[in-house]
Every structure is written in structure tokens, then in C-alpha cells.
Amino acid sequence: AYNDRLYFIGGSSTVGGSPLTSVYYTKINSTGTLNSWIQTNSFTNGRLSNGGNFAVVWGAHIYVSGGCATINASGYCQTVRSDSQVASINADGSLDIWNTVGTVSDTRFGHGLFAWRNNIYEVGGCSTPDTATGNCTTTLSSINYGTVNQDGDASTVGQSAASGTAPCSGTTPTNCNMPDTAVGDLLHASIVANGYLYIFGGCTDFTCNPSSVVTGVAYAAISSTGQTSKPATCPNGTYQNNIWCVQTT
């Protein structure tokens, strides 16, 4: 949502249907009701989220990144997008033409995508699906972020690392991967509030059966430049993966 407009982006109209490139928007009235949906400029390369979030708004621009590119008749993801695209939002809510963000390439779906303080973050997700079962064979605990330039373009400037690998090493580690034993790489919720990045729950695979669901909450301090670091205190929790305060629920 942006400026009293609600957007519906991509997805699929049927189970097993081809991922869509279409974008619709509607005006949100003061009572919360919606007006008629209006189609605006489509992006290239159809995609769907498979439970994650591949779109975000920041600074009068809307971004899409990653997502599932093709699915089979059962609705299982077969291939994954790696491109990122951006379109400016006009005053009436319509979109200008989409452009590819050439410096950003990140193959993942089922991930979290959010923006904060002129940075866009991609959190967790899956890079390789099992085409026969729909399960994820390569889950991601990494966090990538890019700075938004004045013209709305973005570039990748930071990537998290495993514990013991720079910059997630030494006496003042930063930008460490998610603690994926406490929160799920897939289908989690992620937000920024009061200078902290929070990750809630999630699943370790797309079956999301009781054995693969995790219910922890992890958070790390986040700077204005996008760097994550260890909170000064971790009340009612324990530190994991060098910088993350983890609480179980």
C-alpha cells in the first residue's frame, strides 16, 4: 500500500497456472472500503511468492525481486527468478514503466522483502525447489540489502555471512546470517521497529508440518546504513549466531 492506494502484484489466477506480470491498484477510502480495481503497467517476467513477499514500496517507487518463475500442474515451483525491477508511482496511483535493476541479482522465493531507511532487504527464502514435491532443497539463511539511489535505482551493498566468516567474526561481528534453528528460513515474518530487525517464526521447509515449524523470535540491532549487530542486552532470551537475540514462544 502507498498513498491511500492498494496494489495487487503478480501471483497466479489458478493452481498450476502461469505466474502473472499484471499489476492492479485501487484507492482506499477513508472508511476503509475500496474502489474499483484498475490495471496499470505490468512488469516483465511473471512471478508468484509461494508464501513469501517479493514486492515492496519505498520512496514513491515499487520494487519486485525474486519469486517463483514457473510452476507445474500441482502448483509446485519449478524455476526461480533472480531479477529485480522498479517502477515509479504516479500521483494518481498508476505506475510508470518498469525497469530492471541491473546491479541486483538474487535467486530466491518464499523470502521476506521490506524497506527501511533507504535500504531494501531480502531475508531468507529458497533458491532451489524440488520440482517433483515442491519442497525446498536449498534454504537460505542469508540477508542481502541494497541502497536506494535518488532516481529509485538500487545496488547491492551488503550481504550477511555465516558465523566465523567475516564480517560475522571477531570481537564485534556484524551482518550475520539468520539463526535458522530458532526462526524459519521460509514463510517467516520480518519487520524493522525502533532500530531493530525482527524475524518471527517460519518453517524449515514448504511442507510446514509440525516438525518443520519454528516459533521463535530473533532480533538484531540495525543501523541507518543497513548493518546488523548484536543488541546491547538480550532479556528473556539467548544470543545465537553472534548477533541475534533469540526468544522462544
Side-chain angles (χ1 to χ4, degrees):
Y2 176 77
N3 196 27
D4 294 332
R5 303 302 195 276
L6 182 65
Y7 293 85
F8 189 88
I9 303 171
S12 180
S13 59
T14 61
V15 175
S18 298
L20 304 173
T21 62
S22 53
V23 180
Y24 293 82
Y25 71 98
T26 182
K27 187 177 188 302
I28 305 172
N29 299 316
S30 59
T31 59
T33 58
L34 303 178
N35 288 283
S36 299
W37 288 91
I38 303 170
Q39 188 168 8
T40 185
N41 284 322
S42 299
F43 53 88
T44 59
N45 304 330
R47 66 197 73 206
L48 54 82
S49 64
N50 269 36
N53 176 32
F54 64 74
V56 69
V57 172
W58 183 259
H61 292 84
I62 192 165
Y63 299 83
V64 297
S65 185
C68 180
T70 58
I71 55 178
N72 64 14
S74 299
Y76 298 150
C77 187
Q78 305 292 286
T79 57
V80 186
R81 295 286 181 209
S82 61
D83 65 312
S84 299
Q85 298 179 43
V86 59
S88 60
I89 303 174
N90 300 316
D92 64 354
S94 63
L95 301 184
D96 207 337
I97 60 171
W98 290 83
N99 293 291
T100 299
V101 182
T103 57
V104 178
S105 178
D106 195 6
T107 304
R108 63 178 76 197
F109 75 107
H111 58 292
L113 187 70
F114 67 90
W116 184 72
R117 286 198 173 185
N118 229 38
N119 289 295
I120 295 176
Y121 299 80
E122 292 184 309
V123 182
C126 175
S127 63
T128 309
D130 184 321
T131 58
T133 66
N135 204 352
C136 182
T137 59
T138 307
T139 59
L140 301 171
S141 60
S142 58
I143 300 172
N144 292 345
Y145 65 95
T147 297
V148 178
N149 303 317
Q150 188 172 5
D151 60 359
D153 201 1
S155 56
T156 302
V157 296
Q159 296 178 322
S160 65
S163 178
T165 302
C168 183
S169 59
T171 56
T172 55
T174 59
N175 288 3
C176 298
N177 285 351
M178 297 162 50
D180 54 6
T181 58
V183 291
D185 292 335
L186 310 168
L187 312 181
H188 57 257
S190 51
I191 63 168
V192 173
N194 299 322
Y196 295 91
L197 167 59
Y198 295 85
I199 302 174
F200 303 88
C203 299
T204 57
D205 61 50
F206 278 117
T207 62
C208 263
N209 57 36
S211 64
S212 65
V213 173
V214 285
T215 59
V217 178
Y219 66 93
I222 187 168
S223 72
S224 59
T225 61
Q227 181 174 269
T228 51
S229 59
K230 185 178 180 178
T233 61
C234 183
N236 304 315
T238 59
Y239 289 113
Q240 294 185 25
N241 236 33
N242 290 346
I243 68 168
W244 294 93
C245 177
V246 173
Q247 298 176 347
T248 56
T249 58

